[in-house]
Amino acid sequence: MSAAEAASALVSPGSSCRSVPVEHLDYSFIQSCSDLKHLEHILRALRSGQEGFYPHLTEFCEKHIEKLNPKSRVLRKENRPATVASFSAEEWRNISEDLQLWESHMRLNEAQLKRRPIFSDVKDVPPVRSSHASIQTSLSAVEKTGRTPCVPRSYRDWDRFDVETECANIDQSDRNTRHASVSPAVPEITETINSSALTAQEKDALARREKDKGNEAFKSGDYEEAVAYYSRSVSLASSAAALNNRAQALIRLQRWSSALNDCDAVLQLEPGNIKALLRRAAAHKHLGHQQESHDDLRAVLLIEPHNATALKLLMDETESNRCEETHGTSRKILIQEVDEEEEDEEFALLKDDGNALVRSGCYQEAVDKYTECLQLKPHECAVYTNRALCYIRLHRFTEARQDCDSALQLQPTNKKALYRRALANKGLKDYAACRSDLQQVLCLDVSVTEAEQLLMEVTHLMMESRCSSGPRRSITITELSVQEEDDDEDEDEGSGAVGSQRCSAVVSSVSLRSSNAFEFGQALNGAVSCGDLLTCAELLRSVASERLPRLVGTQLDGRTLGFIIRALNTHLLHTHPELVLKHLQQLHTTHRLTMVLMLLDGEDRARLSQIFQKLHGVQTEAFSQNDVTNLANKYL
């Protein structure tokens, strides 16, 4: 190997050493040079020794590169393995003595282990794994079984030998051996743990571990063991999660009273715990406490109006109560058939009079008629909703809400009762409850335009109440004429409006001229984070299309664009197709839209395609089908 090849081998692997002019290997040039890449090539050339060995110049170049970039790869140096030459004579002598001492110590330990017997005491040796008997010597086995060594028998003994008896004896001895080798019973798990010597932190950690053991037992279907572990966790630190889980395990074991106590304990710690309310409702139901179960389910729906479990249980209770009332009524008809017919006629007459008074605007007289109806039949849902409507017209919103609550106890999914309770809550300025009721109406039937319009208005009212700083937005409220129709107690649940009532209660116009991009962005971000499509749709409906790129351009991303597309598709397309097209036309001019479109997922792209398909079928003079096709080509 030549000297040049040997020098090039010193260069770090993967580095390239291109030729460097000789005049660049100078202190002044290196000092004035700021090109990091070129300095690295100079350093590699100096290290290679192709132009000679200059240790001081090499060190100077390294320091200059370190000033420019302390993390440069060329500054990395390989730590070579230490050898004898790396240590002094005294240090190497100490290392050698330590190694010799360790080696002699290990040899002594190995010799002792070889001389030691395998089992020092046979009696103390634990049983072999997967075996239930201790290792025994041949002598102990003979003593335990009581058998003696076999002695050759005479021929006369063989003549008297009974084969069947001997086989039966052998079978019996085998059965006795099997019974004796049955594993001992697993010790019962204590439900309490002595925690007197534990710190608070240790108690919490141990309680979480015991709760995790209970979760594993619950998943495997061993509910008794799960209850034991949950009890151990509660004995260390009483937590809502452990009590809730134990209540569920107790419900699986049909120990309703104990489950009820655990749910009460959870609700004392967390009064609004939904799981505890649902499980307590189940326990009350199986204990025959129907009213308590009903109250718990209603409490869940007040917290989460769309809770599917609570709605299903409540509907099941309603159906069972209705069946019981049907059976009770049939028995009453058999006994008092004449009186029942007279009562039905009187009820029908009073209800018809009340409906006629509502149509004529005599709401107080109608209230009196409906009250007489309820005295005859207190379980008629339609009468409660009719009287609630009268109370709303009389601005007696508290009574209206009470009647709606009574109707919902009879029929939890009654859209008419939910909508009118929303009107009562709006009159009481309880906008949060009003919004919750309207969302339940739209969840049951998305085609109820009156509920959608009222929800937009209430959303604006809530936004106005929260905005304490800055100029307030003006809200103009115009009440339109209301046409009342007769309420039929056997209404069609699948109808597109709430009962036969057709009213557009309030039309609101919101002025956003004082809002800026920051305020709009805050409202849009809040709607996106909460998944509130209605608020997003109202924001888009209230803003001019020309302002949309400036308002959303600074924060437009894939999630926001997808949410805007959903709001346009579900809430504005069927009522304001011209506005949707204008928004999409202006939105296409937004900066970075081409890149953001690439971030949309498959569902949002499908919704965008649906929007253009629906716009293509709209018959209007505001735009043509060619306009829709050209815009669709830009997006899709």
Side-chain angles (χ1 to χ4, degrees), residues 232-304:
R232 290 164 65 88
S233 177
V234 171
S235 68
L236 291 168
S238 182
S239 64
L243 289 168
N244 241 337
N245 293 354
R246 188 171 70 176
Q248 182 66 12
L250 291 170
I251 288 175
R252 295 294 178 88
L253 295 172
Q254 298 184 1
R255 290 154 62 178
W256 312 111
S257 299
S258 300
L260 191 65
N261 295 333
D262 279 352
C263 294
D264 291 337
V266 173
L267 292 172
Q268 288 180 359
L269 297 174
E270 298 178 4
N273 192 294
I274 293 178
K275 289 184 179 180
L277 288 171
L278 289 173
R279 290 166 186 174
R280 190 172 71 173
H284 276 309
K285 178 181 178 181
H286 287 87
L287 290 173
H289 309 156
Q290 300 298 331
Q291 185 60 40
E292 289 81 357
S293 175
H294 185 85
D295 294 341
D296 285 339
L297 294 176
R298 292 300 304 171
V300 172
L301 292 177
L302 289 176
I303 300 172
E304 287 187 3

Side-chain angles (χ1 to χ4, degrees), residues 17 65-66 211 433 563 601:
C17 182
I65 292 175
E66 186 177 1
K211 181 174 70 67
F563 197 78
D601 56 14

Side-chain angles (χ1 to χ4, degrees), residues 290-291 294 316-334 340 376-381 384 406-407 409-411 489:
Q290 300 298 331
Q291 185 60 40
H294 185 85
D316 293 342
E317 286 188 4
T318 304
E319 291 296 331
S320 61
N321 293 336
R322 190 178 299 171
C323 293
E324 292 177 0
E325 290 176 3
T326 303
H327 292 308
T329 305
S330 62
R331 289 193 296 269
K332 187 175 181 180
I333 289 175
L334 293 175
E340 196 69 31
L376 294 174
K377 293 185 177 182
H379 299 293
E380 291 294 327
C381 181
Y384 283 110
S406 300
Q409 288 181 357
L410 298 171
Q411 295 181 8
E489 56 180 318

Side-chain angles (χ1 to χ4, degrees), residues 541-588:
R541 189 183 68 83
S542 303
V543 69
S545 300
E546 295 78 9
R547 301 181 59 203
L548 190 60
R550 182 172 60 85
L551 293 176
V552 304
T554 58
Q555 61 180 4
L556 191 63
D557 54 13
R559 181 187 178 191
T560 305
L561 180 59
F563 197 78
I564 290 174
I565 290 173
R566 278 183 282 169
L568 293 174
N569 187 28
T570 57
H571 293 84
L572 291 180
L573 185 59
H574 61 285
T575 56
H576 302 83
E578 297 88 355
L579 182 62
V580 171
L581 184 68
K582 290 181 180 179
H583 278 345
L584 291 176
Q585 289 174 341
Q586 295 297 327
L587 199 60
H588 188 265

Side-chain angles (χ1 to χ4, degrees), residues 617-628:
V618 174
Q619 301 294 330
T620 179
E621 297 180 356
F623 57 86
S624 63
Q625 295 182 353
N626 291 332
D627 296 335
V628 177

Side-chain angles (χ1 to χ4, degrees), residues 11-71:
V11 184
S12 60
S15 63
S16 62
C17 182
R18 69 183 184 185
S19 61
V20 178
V22 178
E23 57 270 18
H24 291 180
L25 304 178
D26 182 69
Y27 284 97
S28 60
F29 180 82
I30 294 174
Q31 178 66 33
S32 60
C33 182
S34 60
D35 187 354
L36 183 61
K37 293 292 183 183
H38 189 59
L39 287 173
E40 290 177 350
H41 287 301
I42 292 174
L43 181 59
R44 292 191 183 99
L46 290 172
R47 289 176 176 174
S48 66
Q50 295 177 358
E51 302 296 338
F53 294 97
Y54 308 96
H56 296 289
L57 183 60
T58 303
E59 184 180 358
F60 179 79
C61 184
E62 290 176 351
K63 291 182 179 179
H64 188 58
I65 292 175
E66 186 177 1
K67 291 179 182 179
L68 297 177
N69 183 14
K71 297 182 179 180

Side-chain angles (χ1 to χ4, degrees), residues 131-147:
S131 174
H132 305 291
S134 301
I135 299 176
Q136 298 179 354
T137 61
S138 59
L139 180 60
S140 61
V142 172
E143 292 176 354
K144 188 171 183 179
T145 56
R147 295 180 181 178

